[in-house]
Structures are given as C-alpha cells and as structure tokens.
Amino acid sequence: MLNIQDVHVNYGHVHALRGISLTVPKGKIVSLLGGNGAGKSTTLKTISRLIQPKKGLIEVEGKSMLKVNSSQIVKSGIIHCPENRRVFPLFTVQENLQIGAITRRNKHVKKDLERVYHYFPRLKERIHQKAGTLSGGEQQMLAIGRSLMGDPKLLLLDEPSLGIAPILVKEIFEIIKRINKEGTSILLVEQNANMALDISDYSYVLENGCIALEGKSKELKENDEVRRLYLGG
Ligand SMILES: Nc1ncnc2c1ncn2[C@@H]1O[C@H](COP(=O)(O)OP(=O)(O)OP(=O)(O)O)[C@@H](O)[C@H]1O
Ligand SMILES: [Mg+2]
C-alpha cells in the first residue's frame, strides 16, 4: 500500500527525518512508536505532503508520489487524522463529518455517515452538539469519524490516545481494529506503546529521526530493550 524509502526532512537547520524507510502492507496496521520529538508526526505530515521531503522515495500502490500535492494525496485515498484532534469547534458533530466528505472519491456519503454513527454511538447522540463542547475523547472520535468520511484506503492516525481516559482509549482502539478489519490499512503513531503493539501487525521505533528498531509487534513486545525503554519495564 505505502512504501517510503530513505526520506529526509529538514526544518531549517533541524534535520528532523534522517533517512526513514517503512512500508505499510495492504490491509495491515503498522505502528510508529517513539518519544517526544522523535519525528513521528513529521513522518505522517511528509506522507500526506503537508511538508515536503528534501530527499527520498514515497510510493502508494507502486506509484511514485513525490511530485504530488496534498490534495492529490487525499484523492489517492490517504487520509491524515492529525495530532490534537483538530475538529471545527463552532460546527456541529454532523457538520464536521460532512466537511470530512468534501474531498471523497465517490458518493456514498450517507452510507458512510451511518457507518461512523454505528462505530461511535456517542457521536450519534450528539449530532447537533457543537464540536467544541464535546469532551476530549468524543472530539477524538469525531476526528477519526471525519477522517473515515474521506473514504480512506490508508488512514494515518496521529496519537489517538493522547490526553484521553483509559476507558475511552480502549473503546477507540477497538474501533481502530474494526476499521482495519473492514479493509482500511492503518499507520498508527502512538506514545502508548503497549496498546499500539497489541493492535498492530508490525512496528517501527523512531529515535532522533531514524528508525532505531523494527519488527513484528508481537516480537517487539517480548524484546527486553523495548520493554525497558518503552513499556515501563
Ligand atoms: N514546524 C517546525 N519547525 C521547526 N522544527 C520543527 C517543526 N515541527 C517539528 N519540528 C522539530 O522536529 C522534530 C520532530 O518533531 P515531531 O513533531 O515529528 O515529533 P513527534 O515524534 O511527533 O513528537 P511528539 O510525540 O512530541 O508529538 C522535533 O525536534 C521538533 O522540534
Ligand atoms: Mg507528534
């Protein structure tokens, strides 16, 4: 589905990505772990072309995606659900979801709206509520729902668990699993390594803009170094 090789990104003098290579096979969940400032969000922004790489290869379903802009990336089926759940606070839940459908490739908006409400009954109960008055966890659900309205083949999720109570995190991760089972490939950025390793097939660990470790999530979970550094023992 997605293949990136030797991608470099600079912010002025800051060399934020120093030759990242990773792949997301079709139908899989791949997680990207690492501490603050490691370059996780930068990697997602580079894929969705909010920022331009200085060098490297980005392919989607075998086609080079280096000379395209962010709206062409969206058209190719890659939808980015950014950090800090950026919902439109003055618009209602339903309006936020409709905004997510603007860029989509086909017309099954109504069906997908039903699908989002099916995944997130809490959103259905709050259809006419202004998004800015939702709780943090509900806003995260809305951000994911809005991304689904773009009909993604590949969903880029940036820290869906950030600042959310454990019980809601569990609910959100269950839904991420279901979204994947129904056919969407997922690249999941997380600091909550335990949860991410549990639901993903394969994982990469980023450190200082480089891939420090990678492997099957199950195996990484047993890895002593990973346990010590990222799983609290
Ligand atoms: N717009 C920017 N201008 C300058 N430097 C930036 C910019 N965005 C990010 N950086 C730097 O690039 C590095 C990687 O940042 P990035 O946001 O990708 O980290 P992250 O792994 O997502 O961290 P976090 O877990 O805190 O979200 C950091 O050192 C950060 O300060
Ligand atoms: Mg980040």
Side-chain angles (χ1 to χ4, degrees), residues 22-80:
L22 62 83
T23 58
V24 182
K26 209 175 169 126
K28 301 287 185 199
I29 303 183
V30 171
S31 64
L32 187 57
L33 313 173
N36 288 120
K40 304 178 301 297
S41 299
T42 299
T43 303
L44 295 194
K45 287 177 195 163
T46 307
I47 296 167
S48 62
R49 214 45 57 76
L50 296 172
I51 47 187
Q52 298 301 330
K54 189 174 134 227
K55 175 175 169 232
L57 174 104
I58 302 181
E59 282 179 348
V60 176
E61 295 184 310
K63 274 192 239 141
S64 172
M65 285 285 160
L66 267 191
K67 294 198 177 102
V68 300
N69 58 31
S70 55
S71 72
Q72 288 165 305
I73 289 286
V74 170
K75 280 205 187 98
S76 77
I78 297 181
I79 307 282
H80 185 173

Side-chain angles (χ1 to χ4, degrees), residues 88-99 113 116-117 120 122-134 138 142 146 149:
F88 299 102
L90 298 178
F91 288 103
T92 66
V93 166
Q94 178 110 318
E95 287 162 349
N96 267 274
L97 293 174
Q98 284 162 341
I99 290 167
L113 203 53
V116 169
Y117 288 137
F120 301 109
R122 277 167 192 271
L123 294 183
K124 191 168 187 178
E125 290 159 17
R126 294 168 174 78
I127 283 186
H128 300 300
Q129 191 172 327
K130 293 247 183 342
T133 64
L134 295 171
E138 290 160 2
L142 182 56
R146 192 181 58 194
M149 292 304 295

Side-chain angles (χ1 to χ4, degrees), residues 41 83 158-159:
S41 299
E83 216 169 7
D158 200 342
E159 306 236 23

Side-chain angles (χ1 to χ4, degrees), residues 156-217:
L156 309 174
L157 278 177
D158 200 342
E159 306 236 23
S161 76
L162 196 71
I164 294 172
I167 182 150
L168 274 195
V169 171
K170 238 180 132 195
E171 202 175 313
I172 289 171
F173 271 66
E174 282 303 319
I175 288 159
I176 294 173
K177 261 201 284 195
R178 272 172 62 191
I179 292 167
N180 171 252
K181 280 221 174 78
E182 290 174 13
T184 306
S185 313
I186 295 175
L187 179 56
L188 170 69
V189 160
E190 262 299 335
Q191 287 210 38
N192 187 337
N194 253 315
M195 297 284 279
L197 287 171
D198 279 344
I199 72 161
S200 59
D201 301 287
Y202 199 89
S203 295
Y204 295 85
V205 180
L206 258 185
E207 249 174 46
N208 276 326
C210 298
I211 306 278
L213 257 177
E214 65 177 278
K216 287 188 179 150
S217 302

